[in-house]
Amino acid sequence: GAVVSQHPSRVICKSGTSVKIECRSLDFQATTMFWYRQFPKKSLMLMATSNEGSKATYEQGVEKDKFLINHASLTLSTLTVTSAHPEDSSFYICSAGKGLAGGTDTQYFGPGTRLTVL
Amino acid sequence: AQSVTQLDSHVSVSEGTPVLLRCNYSSSYSPSLFWYVQHPNKGLQLLLKYTSAATLVKGINGFEAEFKKSETSFHLTKPSAHMSDAAEYFCVVDPGTYKYIFGTGTRLKVLA
């Protein structure tokens, strides 16, 4: 149980275009979903936290107009990278949990999406 | 402030020998602690977690970790390494905010 999927696993796009990444919890309802960015050989950096039906909470330094997050249902969250540039190329990983922000619970991670912006 | 320190960025062991990956944490609250493993170009898989129950936590694939409050440590061990254990390992603390704080990771190399 507690499986999280991401789609696509890999995407290549041209500079200036937008890319949408989906994160789904397959066998549980995810009250909270998280989006992380991982640079090569580096740890994960939390970008934002979202609760179903609420606006996402972005971490300091993350541009909310560039990284649009929607958590429309208890099983789906999307990250849209708008007007992508080469510096947005990275490995994006989502996670999902049954707890609420301010509490504590296990996060279950998706397999990640490799974004390359040409 | 909460933080996690993984003391070794790289660890190499021979197949069949014990594995020790070290983690120290700093937290103002009673934290939940986790170890995750990441294989190349993959997401993170939960190995084990500590949530204020037994201090010795057993996880998947023969891994275990011991929570030592006096030493603020949560080291990960395995009696006998397999080639398939080669990966990146992350120690994570949740200080009660449901926001994970990640260590910088330890890359485990297993030599044949």
Side-chain angles (χ1 to χ4, degrees), chain B residues 54-70:
Chain B
T55 56
L56 182 62
V57 182
K58 293 188 183 299
I60 62 171
N61 301 335
F63 285 95
E64 61 181 40
E66 185 172 8
F67 173 70
K68 291 187 177 180
K69 188 174 182 179
S70 60

Side-chain angles (χ1 to χ4, degrees), chain A residues 23-109:
Chain A
C23 176
R24 292 181 185 273
S25 57
L26 298 184
D27 52 2
F28 68 100
Q29 293 188 322
T31 311
T32 307
M33 284 185 163
F34 304 83
W35 287 95
Y36 294 86
R37 184 172 179 175
Q38 186 177 31
F39 292 97
K41 299 185 180 180
K42 297 287 185 184
S43 189
L44 277 71
M45 180 191 79
L46 178 65
M47 298 174 67
T49 304
S50 71
N51 292 110
E52 183 264 341
S54 303
K55 285 187 177 180
T57 302
Y58 291 80
E59 294 301 298
Q60 195 170 15
V62 177
E63 299 175 63
K64 58 183 69 176
D65 294 331
K66 179 163 191 61
F67 299 101
L68 300 178
I69 291 170
N70 183 278
H71 191 165
S73 76
L74 285 171
T75 59
L76 173 65
S77 176
T78 59
L79 168 68
T80 301
V81 183
T82 62
S83 187
H85 288 95
E87 57 265 31
D88 299 324
S89 298
S90 195
F91 195 51
Y92 292 88
I93 304 176
C94 74
S95 70
K98 304 169 192 174
L100 289 170
T104 185
D105 196 9
T106 303
Q107 292 182 29
Y108 300 94
F109 287 80

Side-chain angles (χ1 to χ4, degrees), chain B residues 11-32:
Chain B
V11 170
S12 291
V13 300
S14 297
E15 191 175 22
T17 64
V19 175
L20 170 64
L21 304 183
R22 298 183 293 166
C23 173
N24 285 93
Y25 71 93
S26 170
S27 177
S28 304
Y29 307 96
S30 295
S32 295

